[in-house]
Amino acid sequence: MSAAPEDRLEQEPNRWPVPPEGGWTADDLDRIPGLPPHTELIDGSLVFMSPQTAFHGRAMRLFENALLDQAPAHLDVLREMTIKLDEKNRPEPDVLVFPVEANTGHRQTWFRPEDVVLAIEVVSDDSVERDREVKPRKYAAAGVRHFWRVEADDAGVPIVYVYELDPSLEVYVPTGIHRDKLTLTAPFPLTIDLTAINRRRP
């Protein structure tokens, strides 16, 4: 009989890197060998991503494509790139918008928070607390100007919770909850058909 997954983990106590005293730093993410894809750093601790759902993948595709189509020429869009908020925090939004000049080359692995125009988090079952509470608080404190939280309704259609930074208080102010269609004037004029989540691009 083969060993259970739990038994294998017990047999391999050193499979994952042991954190140094004081925890990992943002720069360590580029140096630790063998990390799973899309590992984040939150308060000096490594956070590993669970397997992606179809909703999560399709939501990222929907927002990336719509933003690329509608963003002005001086802005660019990428999926799953980290933001170095500070020495102990380097989260990875699902989609982000940034100025073209913030590109530093093909080996770039992170952006500065002051260069991020919009960060989008698609909520998963294992990330509810991080995406609803921890990350928005940290993004706001670091000065990320716009934040969207995306959740699925019962039919698997995105609901988008939109926030804008109050820079004097360093907190997000909710500006709307959007179902079926998202129409905004900031950070730039855009309209997204949220019911198109399962459609392929022509």
Side-chain angles (χ1 to χ4, degrees):
M1 185 171 70
S2 62
E6 292 82 1
D7 294 335
R8 287 200 297 273
L9 288 176
E10 290 176 3
Q11 293 166 11
E12 299 174 8
N14 296 319
R15 181 178 178 187
W16 303 119
V18 177
E21 185 176 349
W24 300 106
T25 68
D27 290 334
D28 288 330
L29 276 189
D30 294 325
R31 297 192 288 253
I32 303 171
L35 285 180
H38 311 302
T39 300
E40 299 181 292
L41 185 74
I42 304 293
D43 293 329
S45 297
L46 300 176
V47 177
F48 305 128
M49 301 294 103
S50 62
Q52 191 178 102
T53 64
F55 171 79
H56 198 279
R58 287 172 176 157
M60 286 195 297
R61 179 180 64 187
L62 172 69
F63 291 107
E64 181 185 32
N65 289 340
L67 291 166
L68 281 169
D69 286 343
Q70 299 180 58
H74 70 279
L75 296 178
D76 200 356
V77 182
L78 277 176
R79 290 166 49 166
E80 301 170 309
M81 280 281 285
T82 59
I83 308 174
K84 188 187 289 188
L85 300 181
D86 54 41
E87 185 178 336
K88 294 293 185 180
N89 290 279
R90 193 170 146 190
E92 182 183 285
D94 291 303
V95 182
L96 52 80
V97 178
F98 55 93
V100 170
E101 60 265 23
N103 282 304
T104 62
H106 69 282
R107 295 188 180 277
Q108 182 173 1
T109 58
W110 53 270
F111 288 97
R112 303 180 306 167
E114 57 266 34
D115 290 330
V116 177
V117 174
L118 167 66
I120 304 175
E121 294 286 359
V122 181
V123 177
S124 301
D125 288 343
D126 73 333
S127 69
V128 172
E129 182 179 357
R130 291 194 304 275
D131 291 343
R132 289 181 179 175
E133 299 178 26
V134 177
K135 288 186 181 181
R137 186 172 66 249
K138 291 181 179 297
Y139 291 153
V144 175
R145 288 162 276 176
H146 297 271
F147 173 71
W148 299 354
R149 190 181 81 245
V150 180
E151 305 201 19
D153 68 10
D154 292 338
V157 176
I159 302 171
V160 183
Y161 299 82
V162 175
Y163 301 85
E164 188 167 344
L165 182 68
D166 180 335
S168 64
L169 300 177
E170 295 184 341
V171 297
Y172 283 128
V173 177
T175 62
I177 301 173
H178 301 262
R179 295 175 172 86
D180 295 333
K181 180 182 283 189
L182 173 67
T183 301
L184 299 173
T185 58
F188 50 85
L190 60 92
T191 297
I192 301 176
D193 179 3
L194 302 176
T195 67
I197 185 170
N198 293 317
R199 295 182 208 157
R200 295 176 60 186
R201 292 191 79 184

